[in-house]
Amino acid sequence: MRFTGVKALIPLLLALALALVAACGGAAATSAPAPTTAPQPTAAPTQAPAPQATATAMPSAPTSAPAAGGSTPAATARPQPTATAAPAPAASHTPTGELRVAMATFGNERWLPGASAGAEATAFHSILENLLTRNPETGDNIGELAEFWEIRDGGLTWEFRLREGPQWHNGNGPVTADDVQFSFERYAAENSSNARAGVFRKIGGYRIVDSQTIIVDFNEPEILFGGDLNSGIPGTQYIYPKNYIEQVGDETADVEPVASGPYRLVNHDRGVRIDFEAVPGHWKLTPAFANMSFLKTVENSTRVAQLRAGSVDIIGIGVDFANELKAGGVQIKSVPGFATVGITLGGQWATKETYDPSVPWAQPDAEKALKVRQALALAIDKEAVVDVALGGLGRANVSLPFYFQGEPWTLPEFEPIGYDPDEARRLLAEAGHEGCWEFTINLVPWPGRAFLPAVGEAVATQWEANLGCRITRRPLDRAVFATDFRERTYPGVAVPYAMPFVGREPWQLLRLNSHIDGPVMLAYEDRTFSDYLDELGATADFDRRVILMQEMGRHMYSQLPRIELAEVFGIFGIGENVKTWATAPGNGFIHNTAYVNLNWAPPGQPVTLAE
Amino acid sequence: MAVVVLEPPQRRPADWIGLAFRGLRQLPLLPSIILAILLITAIFADIIAPHPPTRGDLQQSLRPPVWIGESVSETRTVVAGRAADFLTQISVAEAQKEIEDGDARVAGGGELAPGAELEFLRQGGSWEYILGADLQGRDVLSRVIHGTRPSLIVSIIAILVAGSIGTTIGLIAGFRGGLADAILMRLTDIVLSIPLILIAVVIAAITEPSLQNIIIIIGLLLWPRFARQVRGETLALKSQDFVARAVVAGSSGLRISLKHVLPNIVPSLLVISTLQVGYVILLEGSLSFLGVGVPPPQPAWGLMIAEGRGLLQTAWWTALFPGIAMALTVLAVNLFGDWLRDKLDPRLRQI
Amino acid sequence: MTRYIALRFLQAIISLLVVMTIVFMLSRLSGDPVQLLADISASEEQMEAIRRDLGLDRPLAVQWVNYVRDMLVFDLGESVTSRQPVRELIWQRLPNTLQLGFAAMAISIFIGLPIGIYAAVHRGSRLDGVARLFAVLGQSMPSFWLGVLLILIFAVILGVLPPGGKESPTSIILPAFSMGYLTTAAIMRLTRSSMLDVLNAEYIKLARIKGLSETKVIWKHALKNSLIPVITFSVVLFTLFLGAAVVTETVFSWPGLGSLILDGVRTRDYPLIQGGVVVFSAIYILANLLVDILYGYLDPRIRLA
């Protein structure tokens, strides 16, 4: 036989060598960082949304917060003296080239008001505008379509005066007060899937003073309404053209949107790409790029490859890819305070039918249940979770969601819970659950928060190692888990969830997702807690709210219904064509793309090309 | 007429690849060895694997394979006061902590002071984690070893399921003929004309991922291949003398099927089964890759590749080794199947 | 022959009906679809409205009849997430999937066929060995793994080809290659063995004895006859590509039908899944029908069987 063992190995060795060479290309790039590896600050010196400023969001002086909706006319935003009469600022430049942005999802890709629900509907940001927006440097609310607004009667009445300049695309006339009422009514409508529909449904009536002025009357005080009408948060409460939509009908308007933003829609291949072109002479700004395309690339690694290969300029990506981007020499733009990550322990809500007293962390003996929750919290090395699952881009320094260090409502006593496995075991034994028990952890990759399954895995691993728990991992799509959420049928299940930034004050988000009478329950469900949320919602005085938030924090901290792990950053990967990009603090979803390579200026003031 | 594999009349001495290849084909020593190793690893995974496959140590996250030394993963500037971000800067206090923990050092060995460059170190490989560790600090080697199990379990059981269903249907159709044949074969054709992966993805996604579901789905979708082959062979055998004689002698259909037909089709059944193993392993891998296969944290090769593909820059070993394991396994099974086919049933060459 | 084709056609229609029923059952077996379709904060009334809207409040049999009727007139319903007609969404994506399938087929044939012929004619040569090694490797490499490696090598390290999406004419190369690689090997093997069969046939020996030149023997006589199974197999290949499309389109973000359906699966968009799977299967079934008819033409014995 002519066969020899060594020769037979050759093809296999060849194959192996081939594969190794292929893979080590990547390794070589890792070990020898190119000069570009060191990520540079993304902002130009002239206009720096310094991450420090964005980190803990806003100035802590409570009185200087029109963002929080001041109680007195004194806190009212004053009109920019130059803005009212000023025509559209003359463009200092002509838009050129194309900006390409790749993202994982376009949401449901619907262009009708009230038809899109999720924070992932980033496509709207580039063509639509809102009454207010947020200052990228300070986080304060400032006027976008509105040049002036005022809160009266402790939040019962809101008045908005619109700018004269903004026009609907394609010659559909100016943006008027009627458009505002029309849009708000759509958000409040029964079939609205808008996340803030509940807020709009509290509106009792509208008074159109003139074509540019509208007064909104609420049935009950709504002190942070301005925060809901904001282009700087992940939400979709935009202003839509009444006449156009009524003229062409919903069906057409759903696919052929007319808006007022600095870009207009040119082409929309559903699920594939959306193409925009700059609107010449737009009132707010002239984009640096003549064309902009959003590409939907579901696979994270493909998106990273697209950026590295230079076929796109910006990608939305999770922090779990931070190290991969760094190793590939890609610049990262980080947004601190994007979300707080924690573990919700299901089935604690004693008032609900789905309450399960047999679950140790929810047992009727409140003292024991608390010890179990404390034990679970102490058994997690939060720093390690940040390093492993959050790419190091997070801070394990939160004990309550959005109670960041330096905020007036964050009391020193709200110390982050440390890592102490021995103490954890002791507490668990004291509660009578030595050796832990068997339960499930859900792993749901939420939009923009694909790191959650990795967080869940890291937490489960530690509970198993430190406490002896036996944990089943249940990978789920968000669509499926939505059912569980609605029915609250996950007693005894641990759920890693990251609450995204929606406003500076912690209760703004919690009242959306954790109110006992609300449609969803993602963190806390407890009567006392909900009472705090109600009271906060009706308290126009900022100082009073701070005290309430401190009290609410004490309550939550002592009860520990949810295990807080870390503050996580939002990140974007950016290519060489992007020199500056002013984004709102805390907003880790793609937005403000029209400002790429422009020096940011408040709406109404001239916006110039960077450099 | 059987195709006889003829030895070529002459061979040039330099033809080492062809030679090696023929060696592989004619004496499947290597495939056999690989398969034997696989089987042994699958059975004794608990003993062989140095670490538990699902229990990670977060401190070992992304540890490189043993032959890769310590390296600098990133560099940041030390600043006085608070760092502006976590990407380019680090405060003196934080830098001090990193150095004390042994995670970083000052570039050039200078003093720790504002303005210095801090180099973050990534630990080198160790013999404890020969092929490195994944994101969750799980040993890649142990996971590759344990990953043989789902691959082999799924392929063996799914093929047994498919084989039994397919053989039964093929035998009945071929032997009975007439209406039964027509109905069964149309059914077979129908299932054959369904896009397998697509339906498997949809079913697997809808019925939450689990090993049993994968086996059932693949088993149920694979049987027509067996049914067609078995029917064809049964038809051919039916016309042969010994079966015809048995029919004349008044043997029952069942008896003839079991006694005369079945033994004669065993070789080709074996061949088809072996040739399907590679396909099933790849199919299972695809499902796991798409996130609808074996659920985490179980070690399955497809899942490991899916998890590791986002880490090609930082930790190529997490996706490379399970890929190699999978390719080697399928290669071995295919070579073995080729050999078996040539030996047992050369008529099947074109399958 | 007409009867044979008619029979096969009827069978294809039944296949399609079966697929439609499987998909119909699937979307109703997996719990209440409304729970999955409704927004996370939907009220009970909203969910009832959706139920009525989709006709889910009617008996199952009625639903099935309506569903089949709608499908037959190509009324595939409306996507639950985007509210667009599923038919349009599919029409937008379908050409891309077909394009990818044809490109992969072209790659397989243009690479596989010549090498296969060469390997057969120069049997035992080094290239024959390499070719066969390539063939065996091709059948062993997980296509998704190959895809990941291809992106890393050609898009990221070498930077010569786009890594994903469909933005330039070169975008198709990597996905087509990662799909076609496996089947290139298959074509090569098939060409080689079919060519060898023919070369060993009596009439070729006769031609050689008659003194025809080797080139003429190969190109005129052997090739023509050995191509028949290869051509038929090409159509089979096409169905293979359709099957592989889900994975490949996912890895390369190719905007085809496979990734559309996977999107639908992820968001539990049942009308989209139903429509997508049925259209996909229809094409698949049609391609298989074509194979059967081709075989029937080429080998009359099959028709009689």
Side-chain angles (χ1 to χ4, degrees):
Chain A
M1 189 96 300
R2 285 167 291 267
F3 172 81
T4 64
V6 177
K7 283 190 175 177
L9 271 170
I10 288 168
L12 288 170
L13 285 175
L14 271 178
L16 207 68
L18 205 86
L20 272 171
V21 165
C24 292
T30 316
S31 50
T36 48
T37 305
Q40 290 145 12
T42 56
T46 44
Q47 175 265 324
Q52 173 128 37
T54 51
T56 38
M58 301 179 224
S60 46
T63 45
S64 75
S71 55
T72 59
T76 300
R78 305 217 173 279
Q80 305 288 350
T82 52
T84 318
S92 65
H93 57 272
T94 316
T96 52
E98 189 186 18
L99 180 72
R100 296 154 76 87
V101 184
M103 50 189 84
T105 171
F106 290 159
N108 64 8
E109 302 184 54
R110 299 188 58 192
W111 300 95
L112 263 190
S116 66
E120 68 271 28
T122 50
F124 300 92
H125 284 283
S126 44
I127 67 160
L128 286 154
E129 289 175 302
N130 222 319
L131 289 180
L132 308 180
T133 185
R134 278 168 70 228
N135 184 326
E137 284 154 20
T138 63
D140 292 341
N141 280 357
I142 50 174
E144 187 162 59
L145 287 173
E147 65 172 352
F148 165 86
W149 73 101
E150 190 175 49
I151 314 146
R152 292 196 287 262
D153 308 329
L156 276 172
T157 305
W158 285 70
E159 179 178 336
F160 298 93
R161 192 156 80 230
L162 305 179
R163 289 175 206 278
E164 300 279 358
Q167 295 281 328
W168 295 113
H169 297 159
N170 310 339
N172 281 282
V175 179
T176 66
D178 284 334
D179 296 320
V180 176
Q181 178 178 352
F182 169 79
S183 307
F184 285 8
E185 282 172 351
R186 283 298 187 98
Y187 291 131
E190 200 205 329
N191 62 1
S192 159
S193 44
N194 192 283
R196 311 287 161 84
V199 175
F200 289 95
R201 284 177 191 144
K202 290 183 194 165
I203 295 175
Y206 301 90
R207 283 177 277 162
I208 306 278
V209 179
D210 58 51
S211 72
Q212 302 305 112
T213 312
I214 182 167
I215 298 173
V216 181
D217 293 311
F218 278 90
N219 292 328
E220 48 189 283
E222 190 56 50
I223 53 148
L224 290 190
F225 189 46
D228 293 329
L229 303 172
N230 208 308
S231 308
I233 55 162
T236 54
Q237 290 67 247
Y238 296 94
I239 305 303
Y240 289 80
K242 173 176 194 260
N243 288 341
Y244 170 74
I245 293 178
E246 287 181 348
Q247 201 183 320
V248 299
D250 280 6
E251 230 164 86
T252 307
D254 206 6
V255 291
E256 292 169 21
V258 156
S260 64
Y263 278 108
R264 68 173 159 228
L265 186 77
V266 186
N267 170 47
H268 184 180
D269 282 350
R270 248 149 245 288
V272 182
R273 65 185 297 152
I274 310 178
D275 298 301
F276 309 96
E277 66 178 14
V279 175
H282 187 262
W283 71 271
K284 190 167 70 189
L285 59 87
T286 301
F289 294 90
N291 295 293
M292 179 166 76
S293 297
F294 285 178
L295 310 171
K296 180 172 168 185
T297 308
V298 179
E299 287 309 304
N300 292 321
S301 45
T302 309
R303 221 154 54 242
V304 173
Q306 281 178 309
L307 182 65
R308 294 189 58 201
S311 55
V312 299
D313 304 304
I314 294 176
I315 57 168
I317 192 90
V319 276
D320 41 335
F321 275 81
N323 289 323
E324 189 73 1
L325 293 176
K326 285 187 212 165
V330 171
Q331 287 190 57
I332 299 174
K333 178 180 169 61
S334 70
V335 181
F338 160 58
T340 54
V341 189
I343 309 284
T344 299
L345 302 170
Q348 292 178 54
W349 21 102
T351 53
K352 297 285 172 184
E353 287 166 17
T354 50
Y355 171 67
D356 185 352
S358 69
V359 180
W361 62 56
Q363 55 188 301
D365 185 336
E367 203 178 315
K368 278 188 180 170
L370 180 61
K371 275 185 181 157
V372 171
R373 296 198 292 269
Q374 281 169 337
L376 290 173
L378 282 167
I380 305 168
D381 182 350
K382 288 113 194 149
E383 303 274 355
V385 173
V386 170
D387 282 344
V388 167
L390 304 178
L393 288 182
R395 288 192 267 244
N397 65 359
V398 285
S399 51
L400 299 168
F402 289 103
Y403 280 68
F404 292 138
Q405 305 293 321
E407 294 286 11
W409 43 80
T410 307
L411 296 172
E413 64 196 76
F414 302 161
E415 250 176 44
I417 293 168
Y419 175 51
D420 189 344
D422 294 330
E423 176 68 6
R425 275 189 292 274
R426 194 186 64 76
L427 279 169
L428 203 61
E430 254 183 48
H433 295 281
E434 195 167 1
C436 201
W437 67 99
E438 209 173 320
F439 62 96
T440 299
I441 190 163
N442 278 356
L443 307 177
V444 186
W446 289 75
R449 286 154 279 173
F451 50 78
L452 285 171
V455 169
E457 180 59 48
V459 167
T461 299
Q462 299 194 52
W463 280 343
E464 286 176 338
N466 293 332
L467 300 175
C469 307
R470 291 162 301 283
I471 300 173
T472 309
R473 280 76 159 172
R474 185 169 178 235
L476 281 176
D477 283 335
R478 179 201 183 182
V480 181
F481 189 50
T483 313
D484 288 12
F485 266 154
R486 203 176 300 115
E487 309 258 299
R488 295 166 162 88
T489 51
Y490 50 107
V493 176
V495 184
Y497 179 67
M499 302 193 191
F501 178 92
V502 303
R504 182 188 172 203
E505 298 178 26
W507 64 275
Q508 287 176 271
L509 177 82
L510 293 168
R511 79 172 163 163
L512 290 175
N513 70 15
S514 303
H515 194 285
I516 200 163
D517 301 323
V520 250
M521 215 312 294
L522 289 166
Y524 309 96
E525 188 156 6
D526 152 61
R527 180 43 77 189
T528 319
F529 175 69
S530 296
D531 289 343
Y532 275 119
L533 293 179
D534 290 338
E535 197 177 344
L536 278 161
T539 305
D541 180 43
F542 180 79
D543 294 338
R544 171 75 193 133
R545 282 210 304 278
V546 170
I547 293 168
L548 280 171
M549 280 186 274
Q550 290 173 343
E551 283 176 17
M552 185 172 81
R554 265 197 208 103
H555 175 72
M556 287 195 287
Y557 194 78
S558 67
Q559 291 304 306
L560 206 73
R562 174 180 133 114
I563 299 169
E564 221 52 49
L565 298 174
E567 161 201 354
V568 60
F569 296 8
I571 61 167
F572 308 105
I574 54 175
E576 283 164 10
N577 290 341
V578 179
K579 294 179 215 112
T580 71
W581 177 22
T583 58
N587 191 347
F589 297 94
I590 284 172
H591 65 289
N592 275 11
T593 41
Y595 282 97
V596 170
N597 287 358
L598 297 180
N599 296 314
W600 186 85
Q605 288 175 23
V607 177
T608 53
L609 201 61
E611 283 185 328
Chain B
M1 182 64 210
V3 178
V4 182
V5 184
L6 292 171
E7 281 300 306
Q10 71 250 14
R11 182 177 298 118
R12 284 181 297 270
D15 181 18
W16 52 271
I17 294 177
L19 190 75
F21 185 81
R22 258 183 305 280
L24 283 178
R25 285 282 299 271
Q26 287 168 14
L27 211 173
L29 188 63
L30 197 72
S32 312
I33 291 174
I34 295 177
L35 287 180
I37 293 176
L38 270 175
L39 272 178
I40 292 169
T41 9
I43 295 166
F44 299 107
D46 297 311
I47 303 168
I48 301 169
H51 294 273
T54 56
R55 177 71 56 84
D57 175 357
L58 297 185
Q59 304 306 324
Q60 304 294 336
S61 176
L62 300 185
R63 182 145 205 181
V66 63
W67 59 87
I68 291 178
E70 194 178 66
S71 60
V72 174
S73 61
E74 58 177 306
T75 310
R76 288 189 214 157
T77 312
V78 180
V79 293
R82 239 181 110 167
D85 60 22
F86 279 16
L87 296 166
T88 58
Q89 301 184 343
I90 186 163
S91 71
V92 178
E94 282 170 323
Q96 186 65 42
K97 191 170 168 286
E98 297 285 353
I99 292 172
E100 276 164 17
D101 292 350
D103 293 338
R105 66 172 179 225
V106 178
E111 283 286 295
L112 177 63
E117 295 287 309
L118 191 74
E119 289 176 343
F120 281 78
L121 301 174
R122 192 156 80 177
Q123 55 186 348
S126 87
W127 283 103
E128 215 186 317
Y129 295 87
I130 298 172
L131 298 185
D134 69 3
L135 184 71
Q136 301 283 349
R138 297 173 294 211
D139 181 33
V140 170
L141 176 64
S142 303
R143 283 176 73 75
V144 168
I145 288 173
H146 278 269
T148 47
R149 281 186 178 171
S151 286
L152 291 188
I153 290 173
V154 168
S155 45
I156 290 170
I157 302 185
I159 284 169
L160 277 180
V161 171
S164 354
I165 301 176
T167 308
T168 313
I169 288 181
L171 272 178
I172 296 174
F175 211 81
R176 272 283 168 86
L179 191 64
D181 181 28
I183 291 174
L184 289 175
M185 279 305 108
R186 291 306 78 81
L187 185 69
T188 309
D189 289 344
I190 285 164
V191 179
L192 267 179
S193 68
I194 292 173
L196 188 70
I197 295 188
L198 184 68
I199 299 285
V201 165
V202 172
I203 298 178
I206 286 171
T207 60
E208 285 196 23
S210 78
L211 208 58
Q212 296 99 290
N213 286 351
I214 301 302
I215 290 171
I216 294 170
I217 293 165
I218 296 181
L220 287 182
L221 292 174
L222 216 60
W223 65 263
R225 291 166 190 243
F226 289 88
R228 263 203 176 171
Q229 188 63 38
V230 170
R231 171 183 175 268
E233 303 231 345
T234 310
L235 281 179
L237 285 168
K238 227 165 94 174
S239 61
Q240 288 199 1
D241 284 352
F242 70 99
V243 178
R245 272 200 296 274
V247 175
V248 172
S251 296
S252 75
L254 183 72
R255 195 183 145 79
I256 297 171
S257 302
L258 293 180
K259 205 169 167 210
H260 297 291
V261 180
L262 196 59
N264 279 297
I265 56 174
V266 163
S268 39
L269 271 180
L270 262 179
V271 171
I272 307 175
S273 302
T274 320
L275 290 175
Q276 295 293 319
V277 171
Y279 179 72
V280 174
I281 290 177
L282 290 179
L283 189 58
E284 181 270 326
S286 304
L287 291 179
S288 295
F289 179 78
L290 292 174
V292 295
V294 179
Q298 283 188 57
W301 294 335
L303 193 64
M304 293 171 75
I305 295 172
E307 285 172 351
R309 99 193 110 140
L311 299 167
L312 286 178
Q313 281 293 316
T314 36
W316 47 267
W317 53 89
T318 50
L320 181 71
F321 294 119
I324 290 177
M326 197 175 213
L328 268 185
T329 307
V330 178
L331 181 73
V333 173
N334 282 350
L335 286 175
F336 192 79
D338 277 3
W339 172 80
L340 202 65
R341 179 190 58 198
D342 288 355
K343 263 276 186 290
L344 296 180
D345 200 346
R347 280 170 306 144
L348 294 170
R349 286 218 78 168
Q350 287 182 12
I351 288 182
Chain C
M1 191 66 198
T2 322
R3 188 165 167 269
Y4 170 75
I5 292 178
L7 257 171
R8 290 282 143 165
F9 199 74
L10 186 74
Q11 187 189 318
I13 289 174
I14 297 173
S15 297
L16 196 58
L17 272 175
V18 170
V19 171
M20 281 157 77
T21 310
I22 291 177
V23 179
F24 174 82
M25 293 314 287
L26 272 182
S27 58
R28 270 138 191 102
L29 280 179
S30 57
D32 183 358
V34 178
Q35 283 286 357
L36 301 171
L37 301 182
D39 181 66
I40 203 163
S41 56
S43 65
E44 195 46 54
E45 295 82 54
Q46 278 171 299
M47 292 183 17
E48 200 47 54
I50 295 173
R51 196 166 284 128
R52 258 197 319 277
D53 207 34
L54 297 176
L56 292 172
D57 52 343
R58 278 171 284 181
L60 210 60
V62 178
Q63 286 183 42
W64 187 82
V65 171
N66 287 343
Y67 158 81
V68 171
R69 192 194 53 208
D70 289 348
M71 287 275 163
L72 290 181
V73 296
F74 260 141
D75 176 3
L76 306 181
E78 206 177 58
S79 155
V80 176
T81 47
S82 72
R83 292 278 162 201
Q84 292 305 300
V86 169
R87 183 178 44 202
E88 271 175 40
L89 293 175
I90 290 174
W91 279 161
Q92 281 168 12
R93 299 294 195 90
L94 188 59
N96 293 339
T97 295
L98 298 181
Q99 202 183 341
L100 186 59
F102 284 123
M105 199 160 102
I107 286 179
S108 311
I109 292 173
F110 284 120
I111 299 177
L113 198 66
I115 300 181
I117 295 170
Y118 185 90
V121 175
H122 304 271
R123 199 152 59 108
S125 71
R126 184 179 301 184
L127 189 81
D128 181 23
V130 173
R132 283 195 288 164
L133 170 68
F134 178 71
V136 175
L137 278 180
Q139 285 177 329
S140 317
M141 189 96 80
S143 67
F144 49 91
W145 190 60
L146 180 67
V148 170
L149 292 181
L150 284 177
I151 292 179
L152 184 71
I153 298 168
F154 290 99
V156 175
I157 296 175
L158 299 178
V160 287
L161 290 169
K166 182 176 186 272
E167 286 127 46
S168 71
T170 50
S171 290
I172 201 168
I173 296 177
L174 289 185
F177 186 76
S178 96
M179 232 156 71
Y181 180 72
L182 193 143
T183 44
T184 302
I187 286 259
M188 211 160 68
R189 283 174 73 149
L190 187 65
T191 313
R192 182 178 178 277
S193 66
S194 149
M195 192 81 175
L196 281 178
D197 281 358
V198 175
L199 284 174
N200 287 323
E202 292 300 320
Y203 69 96
I204 294 288
K205 285 182 186 151
L206 201 69
R208 279 189 179 133
I209 291 167
K210 267 165 63 187
L212 283 180
S213 76
E214 191 64 16
T215 322
K216 204 160 183 188
V217 169
I218 289 164
W219 292 107
K220 192 145 181 230
H221 296 274
L223 190 60
K224 205 170 80 183
N225 287 305
S226 57
L227 274 187
I228 292 172
V230 178
I231 292 169
T232 330
F233 185 65
S234 303
V235 188
V236 179
L237 272 194
F238 190 71
T239 64
L240 282 178
F241 291 140
L242 286 178
V246 184
V247 177
T248 309
E249 289 178 7
T250 302
V251 173
F252 291 96
S253 289
W254 183 258
L257 198 47
S259 57
L260 181 75
I261 294 172
L262 202 67
D263 267 5
V265 168
R266 283 187 176 138
T267 52
R268 294 298 190 274
D269 192 336
Y270 281 106
L272 187 59
I273 299 175
Q274 282 179 355
V277 173
V278 168
V279 169
F280 210 103
S281 306
I283 295 167
Y284 195 86
I285 290 166
L286 220 70
N288 276 307
L289 179 69
L290 193 66
V291 175
D292 283 351
I293 293 174
L294 263 176
Y295 272 131
Y297 253 116
L298 299 171
D299 190 348
R301 278 171 301 168
I302 289 174
R303 249 184 292 162
L304 301 174

